[in-house]
Amino acid sequence: FFANYDIENFIDITQAGFYLISYFLSSESKEDCTLTLAVKYNDLLIPASNVIVKWQANSINYVSNSIIAALQGWDALTLSVRSAAETALSFNGTANAILTIVKIH
């Protein structure tokens, strides 16, 4: 395996290489808002991974993206979601967040 999932909320990369990183978020908000979804390694933004989207109130919204990134052994990957203003996202059974990695070289 090229990754460990032993600690909640991040993925440890165990082997250096190029990885296809795919990520997805769906949720509902009570207010219109602007969200930024991004992938970080060791708390640093992976260049070109940030996606800015407008979330519509009272409906389930979706966003996804994929990137290719060079990662080192023991890099810790996290999925980051930030809002331009204070808001609460609802994960109501049809909503979730996914971070998937595949070593390609």
Side-chain angles (χ1 to χ4, degrees):
F1 295 104
F2 302 119
N4 287 329
Y5 306 92
D6 297 334
I7 299 175
E8 194 172 321
N9 298 324
F10 70 86
I11 300 171
D12 265 335
I13 302 300
T14 59
Q15 188 176 50
F18 289 91
Y19 287 80
L20 172 64
I21 303 169
S22 299
Y23 45 107
F24 169 84
L25 174 70
S26 66
S27 68
E28 184 177 1
S29 175
K30 297 296 180 196
E31 313 83 21
D32 288 346
C33 62
T34 300
L35 297 180
T36 301
L37 181 68
V39 179
K40 293 183 175 182
Y41 70 103
N42 307 326
D43 278 335
L44 301 171
L45 179 69
I46 294 178
S49 72
N50 57 322
V51 178
I52 299 170
V53 294
K54 298 225 182 262
W55 234 235
Q56 294 179 350
N58 301 313
S59 63
I60 297 174
N61 297 268
Y62 304 91
V63 61
S64 64
N65 196 30
S66 294
I67 58 169
I68 295 175
L71 300 172
Q72 301 303 311
W74 304 111
D75 279 345
L77 291 183
T78 56
L79 184 61
S80 173
V81 181
R82 297 203 181 245
S83 176
E86 186 172 329
T87 190
L89 300 180
S90 171
F91 295 91
N92 58 7
T94 59
N96 61 53
I98 300 170
L99 175 62
T100 305
I101 60 168
V102 177
K103 188 172 189 290
I104 56 176
H105 182 68

